[in-house]
């Protein structure tokens, strides 16, 4: 546990810019468990695939029919944009990319893996945030 906290503190202290950490309870979806499902196939004996398939089908149905909550964590990075030229935008974009890479690499030491939101996911997330605040 001490090593975990040390890695997290190091990660936070080495970030080169501003970051906002957000944690939210959300309704779980079957997609939230896809990584778990795929990991089962990687480790299962092929003779037991029918059992894995049954488990996935039943768990998916259970998730769809109930209101299970899951914790999701978001890191929002920001940097200044010094002007409106393409070069300024490219530099700011590169800085954000570097921050995300450094953040992810630090967390990966503790087997915490990150995924960058797609444009669609990001738009959906912010739409939900602003509709809840009204």
């Amino acid at each position: 546990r001490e090593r975990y906290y040390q890695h997290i503190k190091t990660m936070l202290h080495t970030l080169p810019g501003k970051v906002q950490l957000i944690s939210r309870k959300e309704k779980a979806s079957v997609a939230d468990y896809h990584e778990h499902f795929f990991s089962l196939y990687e480790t299962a004996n092929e003779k037991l695939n029918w059992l894995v398939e049954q488990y996935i089908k039943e768990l998916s149905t259970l998730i769809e029919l109930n209101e299970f909550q899951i914790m999701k964590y978001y890191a929002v990075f920001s940097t200044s944009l010094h002007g409106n030229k393409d070069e300024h935008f490219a530099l700011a974009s590169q800085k954000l990319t570097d921050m995300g890479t450094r953040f992810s690499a630090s967390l990966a030491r503790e087997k915490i893996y990150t995924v960058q939101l797609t444009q669609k996911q990001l738009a959906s997330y912010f739409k939900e945030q602003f509709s809840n605040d009204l």
Side-chain angles (χ1 to χ4, degrees):
R1 185 170 57 174
E2 186 62 35
R3 185 188 68 167
Y4 169 81
Y5 285 115
Q6 188 60 39
H7 281 151
I8 298 300
K9 286 188 331 191
T10 301
M11 178 269 304
L12 290 173
H13 289 293
T14 59
L15 286 174
K18 297 176 184 175
V19 63
Q20 179 182 13
L21 301 173
I22 301 169
S23 59
R24 297 191 56 211
K25 268 188 187 174
E26 296 181 6
K27 182 180 185 262
S29 70
V30 174
D32 294 323
Y33 293 89
H34 282 175
E35 188 174 324
H36 167 63
F37 295 155
F38 291 126
S39 73
L40 295 174
Y41 283 111
E42 291 175 357
T43 58
N45 181 330
E46 284 189 34
K47 294 177 183 176
L48 298 177
N49 277 351
W50 68 271
L51 189 58
V52 172
E53 289 173 18
Q54 186 64 31
Y55 166 75
I56 291 171
K57 182 180 176 184
E58 289 178 12
L59 184 58
S60 297
T61 302
L62 188 66
I63 292 167
E64 289 171 351
L65 296 177
N66 292 281
E67 294 280 330
F68 293 119
Q69 298 288 310
I70 189 170
M71 287 300 294
K72 291 196 177 182
Y73 301 92
Y74 300 91
V76 181
F77 299 98
S78 66
T79 188
S80 300
L81 182 60
H82 303 287
N84 57 1
K85 294 184 179 178
D86 288 345
E87 302 88 46
H88 297 136
F89 183 78
L91 287 171
S93 295
Q94 185 60 50
K95 185 174 181 180
L96 290 172
T97 299
D98 292 346
M99 290 168 63
T101 301
R102 187 177 295 176
F103 182 79
S104 295
S106 296
L107 292 176
R109 289 185 206 153
E110 290 300 320
K111 296 185 177 20
I112 300 171
Y113 302 105
T114 61
V115 177
Q116 184 173 345
L117 295 180
T118 64
Q119 183 176 354
K120 185 177 179 180
Q121 291 169 321
L122 192 58
S124 175
Y125 173 80
F126 279 104
K127 182 179 179 182
E128 185 178 317
Q129 288 298 308
F130 290 119
S131 68
N132 288 339
D133 291 340
L134 297 177

